[in-house]
Amino acid sequence: MIFNRLRAIWKPELYHGWGKKNKFFEGWYYKIISKDQDYAFAFIPGIAMDENGIKQAFIQILDGKKLKSNYIKFPFDEFKPNPSVHDIIIGKNRFKTNSIELNLPDVKGKLIFNDIVPWSKSFFSPGIMGPFSFLPFMECYHGILSMNHSINGELIINKNKINFDCGRGYIEKDWGHSFPLGYVWMQSNHFSKSEISFKLSVAKIPIKGFSFIGFIAGVWVNSELIEFTTYNFSNLRKCSISKEEVSIEMDNNKYKLIVKAIRSKSTKLAAPIQGFMDSKIEESMNSKIDLVLIDKKINKSIIDDIGSSACIEVAGNYSLLLK
């Protein structure tokens, strides 16, 4: 049990709940977009334990085009994680880094993911959390399984066969006991060039009696992941949030990042609070992100593009993030 928990520190894609009995959640987020972008879904398998030790497994489905969501509960003993590789079974459904198999009342089929683009990692920075991965008292941890990949396969959704060949996908995860006090999160890998992918989050993070604004952004371009994070001495220069848009600026010693996200209609999703999925957040899958990445040395834009089928969440007391 202890070995499984230690191994998961350096493999954040794995299950982290070994030995946990209460106040814990873990969920994996699979974003699925068809080639023509007419279909946008998120499939979120996970588990939740409340403060009294009541446990459940779940699969949450977000239909980004129809603005609908569905939360399907399973007995906890139907959740079967592999301790060595990312391979999660919930009932008759299976979730891996390179595939998903769904056998739900209204969703059936299998999708294969190719050309996975993971977040960078090292011994002292096991994933997107960097050195914060080693702190045992964080409220919420985060991981990236794939910044960008292609999709092959089809799903039968509400008796309609949908082909996802040559679609695009993205996979991330969260675990802990609650989402941050306030946060903004966004992602798109539908730019004019298929090899561009972008992810950003800014959050108010409490740690043992004090709190700070943490941020993470990654731009995958030209086969390189450019990172802006709290722990690599990047700077958050601006964070402005309104009902219509989110504007954020960051920089590091080489690059400047300018982001303007245009918000669109959103859908309610279940979210964790003290381990159980009793809170609500709202997510859009139809937004647009205006992304500019500037090489500071030559003062030239590497990217000046608009990402579509963008996901955006603005949740909690986001006024804490304004700058």
Side-chain angles (χ1 to χ4, degrees):
M1 197 75 70
I2 294 176
F3 180 73
N4 289 341
R5 293 176 68 175
L6 289 173
R7 175 167 44 197
I9 294 175
W10 284 276
K11 291 187 174 183
E13 68 275 13
L14 299 181
Y15 176 56
H16 289 72
W18 303 103
K20 297 287 186 180
K21 296 181 179 180
N22 58 17
K23 292 176 63 176
F24 181 79
F25 82 94
E26 189 158 4
W28 293 258
Y29 177 97
Y30 288 77
K31 180 184 179 184
I32 308 294
I33 307 290
S34 62
K35 181 181 178 180
D36 55 13
Q37 300 186 59
D38 285 347
Y39 298 95
F41 291 91
F43 297 100
I44 310 169
I47 57 96
M49 311 175 191
D50 74 4
E51 57 188 352
N52 297 313
I54 297 174
K55 303 177 181 180
Q56 66 178 227
F58 64 85
I59 298 175
Q60 190 164 197
I61 303 170
L62 170 60
D63 185 334
K65 297 297 183 180
K66 293 184 178 180
L67 304 180
K68 294 181 178 180
S69 65
N70 189 16
Y71 185 90
I72 305 170
K73 297 179 182 179
F74 293 81
F76 185 79
D77 59 10
E78 292 191 23
F79 173 77
K80 302 184 185 304
N82 186 310
S84 302
V85 296
H86 175 52
D87 187 355
I88 300 294
I89 295 173
I90 300 179
K92 296 180 180 179
N93 307 274
R94 194 167 193 173
F95 301 85
K96 299 181 180 182
T97 303
N98 60 2
S99 68
I100 59 173
E101 298 177 50
L102 298 169
N103 190 6
L104 299 166
D106 296 320
V107 184
K108 300 181 186 298
K110 181 176 181 178
L111 300 177
I112 303 295
F113 310 138
N114 297 301
D115 303 319
I116 299 288
V117 178
W119 192 271
S120 63
K121 62 170 63 178
S122 66
F123 184 84
F124 294 107
S125 184
I128 197 169
M129 293 288 292
F132 291 103
S133 303
F134 300 102
L135 299 182
F137 42 75
M138 298 286 286
E139 185 177 56
C140 184
Y141 299 84
H142 191 58
I144 300 287
L145 281 70
S146 177
M147 285 285 291
N148 191 29
H149 54 260
S150 62
I151 303 173
N152 284 290
E154 61 184 27
L155 297 177
I156 299 174
I157 301 177
N158 295 320
K159 299 181 180 180
N160 296 315
K161 185 180 291 187
I162 302 173
N163 189 294
F164 286 93
D165 286 349
C166 300
R168 310 301 302 174
Y170 167 85
I171 312 171
E172 67 168 39
K173 65 173 297 190
D174 294 284
W175 69 98
H177 65 79
S178 300
F179 275 179
L181 297 172
Y183 72 90
V184 57
W185 168 88
M186 64 182 73
Q187 187 277 334
S188 177
N189 49 351
H190 282 82
F191 293 87
S192 61
K193 295 181 179 179
S194 61
E195 65 270 18
I196 297 176
S197 182
F198 169 70
K199 173 263 187 317
L200 176 149
S201 58
V202 180
K204 187 70 169 180
I205 301 171
I207 294 185
K208 294 294 184 180
F210 74 97
S211 62
F212 68 97
I213 295 177
F215 59 90
I216 299 169
V219 183
W220 174 257
V221 59
N222 298 328
S223 300
E224 178 187 4
L225 180 62
I226 298 172
E227 303 175 21
F228 301 83
T229 67
T230 308
Y231 53 83
N232 76 356
F233 305 108
S234 298
N235 301 291
L236 177 63
R237 301 296 186 184
K238 177 183 178 181
C239 183
S240 173
I241 302 172
S242 70
K243 292 182 179 180
E244 292 77 30
E245 65 181 46
V246 178
S247 295
I248 293 175
E249 294 183 12
M250 299 178 182
D251 64 16
N252 58 27
N253 61 340
K254 292 184 178 180
Y255 301 99
K256 181 177 181 179
L257 181 67
I258 303 172
V259 178
K260 184 170 77 171
I262 308 302
R263 302 173 67 179
S264 64
K265 291 182 179 180
S266 57
T267 307
K268 287 186 178 181
L269 291 173
I273 181 168
Q274 297 300 308
F276 229 50
M277 304 296 284
D278 288 339
S279 183
K280 294 291 183 183
I281 59 172
E282 293 193 356
E283 178 177 327
S284 163
M285 296 188 76
N286 296 302
S287 297
K288 294 185 182 297
I289 297 175
D290 191 337
L291 179 67
V292 177
L293 180 68
I294 299 172
D295 186 323
K296 293 166 66 174
K297 185 176 181 180
I298 60 176
N299 195 29
K300 183 178 179 180
S301 296
I302 299 173
I303 299 174
D304 188 349
D305 207 340
I306 296 176
S308 57
S309 294
C311 297
I312 297 180
E313 294 176 9
V314 178
N317 187 3
Y318 62 81
S319 64
L320 298 170
L321 310 175
L322 302 182
K323 187 173 183 177

